[in-house]
Every structure is written in structure tokens, then in C-alpha cells.
Amino acid sequence: DNNEYKETCQKYTEILPSLPKENGWITKYVVKYQDTWLSPSVLQGVMLVQEHFIAQPTDILLASLPKSGTTWLKALIFTTINRKRFDFQTHPLLTSGPHACIPSLEALMLQNNQNSSLDLPSPRLFATHIPHHLLPVSLKSSGCRIVYVLRNPKDVFVSSWYHMKKLRLKELPPLSLEEGVDMYCKGVYHFGPYWDHVLGYWNASLESPNKVLILTYEDMKKDILTCVKSLAEFLGQPFSLEEERDGVVQEIIKLCSFDNLSNLEVNKTGVQQFTPKIAIENNVFFRKGEVGDWKNHLTDEMVERLAQISEMKFSGTTWLK
Ligand code: A3P
């Protein structure tokens, strides 16, 4: 209830000054809360999720680090789940940005001091950047499905560097690429460290493969057809032979493609209000949409530095170098 919400907000105000701090990407500083770097207002949202979100077994959660392919997956999950509900010619994604179609859980909790906004038709679709170890217990034990999208750490960095540059508070000095790499390597990244975030969901997926699906941005770029089919199957709504024959999968892929979405008026000029304080232009979520742009930005030294961390953190896993 409202009093309990207020207690969490009070707790947030109390602990905030005691948390380790570093210079931020967008905000003046970020704080370290339970091994995770967050901007202060986001921390409040995370605490509200931790203490007040009650998951339902039918919920579907899209989890990701910022800049890993969240926008693309929001569009794909929304369209796949609702494919019998909407017609492709008049589809909501043609007039609403992907971020309006699947709300971010931590933003939603901040926006609303009541759970009423969570009163959505089943299956409820949410997105989150919260690392696995910070998810509320009710969510982990509810058995709801989690789709996690991950992306090469070098491309996530470059994508972020551009993204944060646009959103960075005007009164702060610009952030150089070198400073950005330093921060990223130290783990100071929104919801980071990058490596811990990825490993958390990776391990959860090893433990419960039918509850946590891992998709990579790179695989999606290479073979989106296979990815969308496994997504639908994982979500319990596999494509029928008839749907495949009628080209439904192709329609979904086309609708959610970078070229299509980034050229829609809503994504060129529209603005998404995430919380009462945070509004972001939709166009910021569409830049190049390619794999390997890091090659155009990072020096050999930077690449080596990142590779060493990946080597160390991901040793024992068979992927992502
Ligand atoms: P780049 O900056 O490398 O272009 P997120 O959605 O997690 O914030 O990630 C944004 C990244 O995904 C950006 O990468 C953006 O261009 C890319 N992106 C957005 N929509 C996409 C789509 N429909 N298909 C492929 N990539 C997309």
C-alpha cells in the first residue's frame, strides 16, 4: 500500500548518501548498490521493484543491459505475443514507439505510487535492466519467463557512448571516449558491471533453460528468422505451419526491422516519457543497428583491455570473446 511505498522511498533517501559514488555517464554521479552501478533516481525505482513488485507466473520479462538490443526485442516480443490481436497494416507499432509498447518495470514503479498501472492484461509484458541478483524474490520464484538479450561488450560500449553523449546533463563536461572506456572497464556502467550482468542471466539460464532464454544481438543480426521462431516457442506461442506458410514470421521481422522502425514518424520525432522526470526522444534508440562498429572507434589498446576483462570474467563459458 501507499505507506509501504513511502517507507521504501524513505529508506532510499536514507541509504543514498552512504553508497559508494563515481562520476556518471548521464547524471553527475552514479552509486553502487548491491554491486550494481545506478543513477540515483533509478536506484529508487529498483528498490521499489525489489520491495513491491509482485510477479505473476504468466508475466514475460525482457531483461537486458542498456544498448544491447532492448528496443528491437521490445518490438519483437510485443508483436509476437499480440500477432493474433493486431493487423500488420494498422499495427500499434506503426504509431507508438517500442518503449511505449512494453514498459520498463523500474520506471513504471517510479511513475506510479500504486500498483494500479501493473493491472495489465495477461500475459503482462515488462522490460527491465535490473541484474539477475537484484530481481525480487517473487519474480524468481513465480516461474515467469525471462528473455535476456546480450550484445558484444565493445559494441555495447560504443553504442552507449553515443547514447549517453546525447542524454548527458548539459552542465557536465563532455565525456571523452578514453574516460568512457575507463569507467566501463571499472564496471561503472548503468546497471553494470557489464560482465556481471551478463553472467547473472547466463547462469540463471543454465539453471532453468525453459524459464530464461538468452538471445544475442549478433545472432539476431545473422539469423533473425531462427531467433524469432525460438522466441515464440519459448514464450509458449510457437508459429503454426499455417502461420509460417502465410508469412507471419516474415511480417513480424519486417515490422520490427531497424529500417522500418527508424523511419517511422513516431520514432523520428516522438518522445517517450519514462518517468515524470525522464523523457527521451525515440530517435535516440536508433543509431546504426550494426555489428562491429567498435572497429571504427576503439584503439588496439582499448580492445585489448576489454578482451582481458572478458577473458577473465567469462573463462569457463564457451561464448563471447
Ligand atoms: P547502435 O548504437 O550500435 O546503433 P537498446 O535498445 O538496448 O538501447 O540498444 C540500442 C541499440 O540497438 C542501438 O545500437 C540501436 O541502433 C540498435 N537498434 C535499435 N532498434 C533496432 C532494430 N530494430 N534492429 C536492430 N538494431 C536496433
Side-chain angles (χ1 to χ4, degrees):
D1 65 25
N2 228 346
N3 278 341
E4 288 172 358
Y5 259 83
K6 280 193 190 136
E7 271 172 33
T8 305
C9 297
Q10 179 66 29
K11 194 163 128 193
Y12 158 76
T13 318
E14 281 165 19
I15 65 160
L16 188 60
S18 67
L19 297 174
K21 260 190 211 174
E22 285 281 349
N23 287 336
W25 288 73
I26 299 176
T27 48
K28 191 163 187 324
Y29 63 88
V30 284
V31 294
K32 195 180 194 181
Y33 172 74
Q34 300 184 359
D35 297 321
T36 305
W37 290 100
L38 301 163
S39 61
S41 70
V42 171
L43 168 60
Q44 188 175 0
V46 170
M47 291 175 72
L48 287 168
V49 173
Q50 283 187 310
E51 298 191 2
H52 303 287
F53 178 70
I54 299 173
Q56 295 172 3
T58 48
D59 287 346
I60 293 169
L61 190 70
L62 163 64
S64 62
L65 268 170
K67 312 328 289 172
S68 299
T70 320
T71 310
W72 195 6
L73 251 308
K74 277 191 179 184
L76 286 169
I77 293 175
F78 181 81
T79 312
T80 301
I81 288 291
N82 291 307
R83 64 187 190 263
K84 298 210 169 74
R85 212 170 127 204
F86 303 121
D87 182 299
F88 288 100
Q89 276 64 48
T90 53
H91 202 279
L93 261 181
L94 296 170
T95 46
S96 308
H99 292 276
C101 296
I102 300 192
S104 146
L105 199 49
E106 45 279 19
L108 202 60
M109 297 298 270
L110 266 179
Q111 199 170 5
N112 233 300
N113 283 351
Q114 310 290 339
N115 266 345
S116 57
S117 60
L118 303 173
D119 240 347
L120 303 164
S122 164
R124 300 186 302 176
L125 310 179
F126 299 112
T128 189
H129 291 313
I130 299 180
H132 192 265
H133 74 281
L134 290 190
L135 289 177
V137 180
S138 94
L139 203 150
K140 292 187 204 168
S141 60
S142 70
C144 73
R145 292 185 178 91
I146 302 177
V147 178
Y148 185 72
V149 59
L150 71 88
R151 188 181 189 188
N152 179 303
K154 300 189 281 287
D155 281 337
V156 168
F157 170 76
V158 170
S159 180
S160 288
W161 190 69
Y162 279 103
H163 182 88
M164 308 297 177
K165 209 156 71 158
K166 286 193 185 146
L167 303 186
R168 190 167 167 84
L169 293 175
K170 295 289 169 274
E171 62 264 31
L172 298 175
L175 191 70
S176 71
L177 199 73
E178 288 72 19
E179 286 170 305
V181 170
D182 267 346
M183 289 159 73
Y184 194 69
C185 288
K186 279 199 281 185
V188 182
Y189 180 63
H190 289 256
F191 300 89
Y194 169 93
W195 297 269
D196 304 55
H197 201 282
V198 169
L199 277 175
Y201 283 97
W202 176 261
N203 289 331
S205 164
L206 282 183
E207 226 166 80
S208 322
N210 55 348
K211 293 296 171 199
V212 184
L213 174 74
I214 307 263
L215 292 173
T216 77
Y217 187 90
E218 291 74 21
D219 284 346
M220 288 168 63
K221 289 292 290 188
K222 220 186 289 165
D223 184 1
I224 186 67
L225 189 70
T226 305
C227 292
V228 172
K229 282 194 206 168
S230 32
L231 177 69
E233 209 169 305
F234 172 78
L235 297 177
Q237 298 194 12
F239 293 103
S240 65
L241 285 176
E242 212 176 12
E243 282 180 310
E244 290 206 27
R245 195 195 54 213
D246 294 347
V248 175
V249 197
Q250 300 295 353
E251 287 278 7
I252 292 175
I253 292 170
K254 203 168 83 192
L255 176 65
C256 301
S257 71
F258 182 88
D259 282 346
N260 184 55
L261 291 182
S262 61
N263 283 307
L264 294 172
E265 201 50 39
V266 62
N267 293 324
K268 284 204 238 174
T269 57
V271 174
Q272 177 66 31
Q273 191 78 41
F274 284 89
T275 71
K277 283 192 200 148
I278 305 176
I280 305 179
E281 288 174 36
N282 288 337
N283 67 49
V284 169
F285 293 97
F286 302 92
R287 193 182 61 96
K288 271 194 166 178
E290 284 169 12
V291 172
D293 194 32
W294 60 268
K295 292 182 191 133
N296 305 316
H297 295 84
L298 304 184
T299 63
D300 291 349
E301 223 180 342
M302 292 170 174
V303 172
E304 181 53 29
R305 223 174 133 189
L306 288 163
Q308 274 179 12
I309 304 174
S310 294
E311 193 68 44
M312 190 177 72
K313 292 270 196 174
F314 292 157
S315 69
T317 56
T318 50
W319 48 284
L320 254 197
K321 290 292 167 203

